[in-house]
């Protein structure tokens, strides 16, 4: 990891397993505290969702793992950078909504 990396997770079970925790501790990776079950605060989840919708919108579904990989790479290249920028720019609003909701679900 780079020296300025911060590990972000939203308390998902795969992020909490002993192996991951041990690795992060051994790397002394700074971790950002997140409310449980709050993927709406993670811009990566929104980019993944945009990508998934683009794949689902294809007229022919990928049939093999290789075809899925190729489709994902193609759609990622076509994903408008502005859509990702807009999601990142919405983070202060999303964080404030989460604070206002005391960590519960928000309208986002």
């Amino acid at each position: 990891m780079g020296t300025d990396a911060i590990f972000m997770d939203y308390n998902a079970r795969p992020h909490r397993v002993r192996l991951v925790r041990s690795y992060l501790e051994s790397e002394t990776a700074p971790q950002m505290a997140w409310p449980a079950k709050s993927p709406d605060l993670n811009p990566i989840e929104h980019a993944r969702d945009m990508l998934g919708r683009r794949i689902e919108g294809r007229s022919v579904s990928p049939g093999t793992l290789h075809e899925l990989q190729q489709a994902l790479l193609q759609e990622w290249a076509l994903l408008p950078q502005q859509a990702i920028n807009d999601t990142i720019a919405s983070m202060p609003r999303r964080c404030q909504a989460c604070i206002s909701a005391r960590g519960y679900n928000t309208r986002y």
Side-chain angles (χ1 to χ4, degrees), residues 9-48:
D9 74 77
Y10 49 89
N11 298 317
R13 188 168 281 146
H15 302 159
R16 302 285 116 209
V17 297
R18 186 176 304 138
L19 177 66
V20 172
R21 286 193 325 253
S22 295
Y23 174 77
L24 292 172
E25 288 170 10
S26 74
E27 293 293 315
T28 61
Q31 298 180 44
M32 184 179 290
W34 287 83
K37 301 179 183 174
S38 60
D40 55 325
L41 297 180
N42 188 339
I44 295 167
E45 294 296 326
H46 295 279
R48 186 180 303 163

Side-chain angles (χ1 to χ4, degrees), residues 36-101:
K37 301 179 183 174
S38 60
D40 55 325
L41 297 180
N42 188 339
I44 295 167
E45 294 296 326
H46 295 279
R48 186 180 303 163
D49 183 56
M50 286 185 267
L51 193 56
R53 283 191 243 164
R54 293 176 72 97
I55 294 294
E56 288 175 359
R58 286 178 164 232
S59 58
V60 177
S61 296
T64 66
L65 186 57
H66 177 73
E67 289 171 346
L68 175 60
Q69 180 183 21
Q70 293 305 307
L72 287 168
L73 290 171
Q74 289 169 1
E75 292 299 338
W76 179 254
L78 296 171
L79 193 63
Q81 182 62 48
Q82 190 58 48
I84 295 169
N85 293 349
D86 291 346
T87 298
I88 294 168
S90 74
M91 288 299 114
R93 245 186 0 262
R94 291 173 188 279
C95 289
Q96 187 55 54
C98 187
I99 291 166
S100 296

